[in-house]
DNA sequence: GTAAAAATAT
DNA sequence: AATATTTTTA
C-alpha cells in the first residue's frame, strides 16, 4: 500500500498541467450573449477618468499548442447553447463612427476600384483600416450609394455639391429642413469623383486596370470610434468596461486588435481623453480645398 | 422627439 | 453582395 501512495504522490506532481495547458481564463467568463441577455454590465458609477480598472481583457490571440481539454467542456449543453464557445472573440465591438477622414478613405478606395469592383470586401481590403469589418463597409456603401443616387436625381438643377465643394460646414446651400439630401454632412464632406454620378458617361470602362490587391500593404489608419461624445463614452464603458489608456502607453483595442489578413497594427496612440481616432492620414482635406483629385492613400511612396 | 447613422437581418 | 429593416445615437 505504501508503494501505491508513493506512486500517487509522485504522479501528483507530474500530472499538474503545464503553463501551456492551462486554459486562458483571463478573459471574461461571461459571454457576450449572456451579458446582454442578463443586462450585465460593468458597474461604473464613477465615471471619473480611470479608476482602478484592472488590465484590459487580453484578447485570445491563439490557443496554446496543446488543446488539452479538461474533463468537461464548458457548459456545452445549455439548451440553446447556440453553439457558441467563443466568447471573447465575439465581443461586441463598438459602434463605428464614420469620420470624414474615414469616409474619405472610403471614397478614395471606391474611386480607385471603380464602381465595378467596389464591393464591400474589396473596399475594405483596400482601405485596410484595422478594425473595419466588411459589414461596416457594406452598410456605409449602402448609404453612400443612396446618396449618390439622390445626387444624380438632383443633378438637373443644383446638385453641384459633389464635385465642387460644398464642404464648408454650412456654406453650400444645403438647407436643412427642406429635405435637401445634400445635407448628408458626412458624404458632403468628401468630394465625389465625377464618374460616380455619371456611370457610363463619356467612356465605358474606367481606367484602372490594375490596383488589385497588391496595393494593399499596410496603412496606418486605425479605426476607433468613441470620440469625445459623452454619450458614447458612457455607453461604451458599459460595453467594454473601459477605454482608458494604460499606464505603459500601450494601447490595446481588444476589439480592434483583431488580426485581419494584414498584420495587426498596434496603434500606439495615446488616445488620451478625447482623441476620437488615431490616424495618420494625409492632409485629409480640411473641407474642400477646392477640388482635390488625386488620392494619396496608397503606398505610392510616402503616404 | 426626430432624424440620421450604423447595425443587423433577409 | 445587395437591400430592407431595426436599433442606436446625436
Amino acid at each position: 500500500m505504501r508503494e501505491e501512495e508513493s506512486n500517487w504522490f509522485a504522479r501528483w506532481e507530474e500530472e499538474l498541467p503545464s503553463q501551456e495547458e492551462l486554459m486562458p481564463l483571463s478573459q471574461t467568463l461571461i459571454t457576450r450573449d449572456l451579458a446582454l441577455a442578463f443586462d450585465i454590465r460593468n458597474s461604473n458609477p464613477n465615471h471619473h477618468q480611470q479608476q482602478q480598472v484592472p488590465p484590459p481583457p487580453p484578447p485570445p490571440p491563439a490557443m496554446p499548442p496543446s488543446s488539452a481539454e479538461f474533463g468537461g467542456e464548458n457548459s456545452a449543453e445549455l439548451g440553446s447553447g447556440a453553439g457558441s464557445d467563443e466568447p471573447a472573440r465575439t465581443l461586441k465591438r463598438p459602434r463605428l463612427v464614420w469620420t470624414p477622414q474615414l469616409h474619405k478613405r472610403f471614397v478614395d478606395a471606391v474611386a480607385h476600384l471603380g464602381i465595378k469592383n467596389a464591393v464591400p470586401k474589396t473596399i475594405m481590403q483596400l482601405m485596410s483600416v484595422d478594425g473595419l469589418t466588411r459589414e461596416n463597409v457594406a452598410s456605409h456603401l449602402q448609404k453612400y450609394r443612396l446618396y449618390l443616387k439622390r445626387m444624380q436625381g438632383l443633378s438637373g438643377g443644383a446638385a453641384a455639391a459633389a464635385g465642387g465643394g460644398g464642404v464648408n460646414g454650412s456654406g453650400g446651400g444645403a438647407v436643412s429642413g427642406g429635405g435637401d439630401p445634400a445635407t448628408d454632412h458626412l458624404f458632403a464632406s468628401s468630394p465625389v469623383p465625377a464618374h460616380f454620378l455619371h456611370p457610363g458617361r463619356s467612356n465605358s470602362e474606367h481606367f484602372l486596370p490594375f490596383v488589385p490587391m497588391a496595393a494593399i500593404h499596410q496603412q496606418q489608419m486605425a479605426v476607433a470610434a468613441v470620440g469625445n461624445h459623452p454619450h458614447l463614452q458612457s455607453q461604451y464603458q458599459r460595453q467594454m468596461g473601459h477605454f482608458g489608456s494604460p499606464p505603459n502607453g500601450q494601447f490595446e483595442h481588444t476589439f480592434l486588435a483583431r488580426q485581419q489578413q494584414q498584420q495587426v497594427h498596434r496603434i500606439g496612440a495615446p488616445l488620451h481623453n478625447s482623441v476620437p481616432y488615431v490616424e495618420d492620414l494625409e492632409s485629409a482635406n480640411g473641407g474642400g480645398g477646392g477640388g482635390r483629385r488625386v488620392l494619396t492613400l496608397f503606398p505610392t511612396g510616402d503616404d
Side-chain angles (χ1 to χ4, degrees), chain A residues 137-254:
Chain A
V137 176
S139 181
H140 192 67
L141 179 62
Q142 180 179 24
K143 283 197 314 178
Y144 188 60
R145 281 172 171 161
L146 251 52
Y147 170 76
L148 291 180
K149 204 172 185 177
R150 295 164 73 165
M151 287 302 261
Q152 294 183 37
L154 275 68
S155 59
V167 203
N168 292 335
S170 63
V175 183
S176 61
D180 189 337
T183 53
D184 295 51
H185 302 93
L186 212 206
F187 295 139
S189 70
S190 196
V192 177
H195 25 291
F196 277 32
L197 295 174
H198 310 294
R201 194 186 214 187
S202 193
N203 250 306
S204 47
E205 305 307 307
H206 300 107
F207 30 74
L208 278 178
F210 17 56
V211 188
M213 304 201 301
I216 52 173
H217 283 170
Q218 53 206 35
Q219 247 60 15
Q220 306 164 336
M221 191 179 200
V223 52
V226 190
N228 20 7
H229 306 281
H231 291 88
L232 281 184
Q233 289 185 356
S234 57
Q235 176 70 12
Y236 289 147
Q237 279 182 1
R238 295 197 312 222
Q239 292 185 18
M240 40 211 283
H242 62 282
F243 213 110
S245 52
N248 336 352
Q250 295 189 12
F251 196 95
E252 282 206 330
H253 295 266
T254 56

Side-chain angles (χ1 to χ4, degrees), chain A residues 242-272:
Chain A
H242 62 282
F243 213 110
S245 52
N248 336 352
Q250 295 189 12
F251 196 95
E252 282 206 330
H253 295 266
T254 56
F255 50 96
L256 294 176
R258 56 172 306 188
Q259 43 192 17
Q260 203 115 324
Q261 306 177 353
Q262 340 192 339
Q263 69 181 75
V264 193
H265 275 229
R266 281 291 188 276
I267 44 188
L271 205 282
H272 283 311

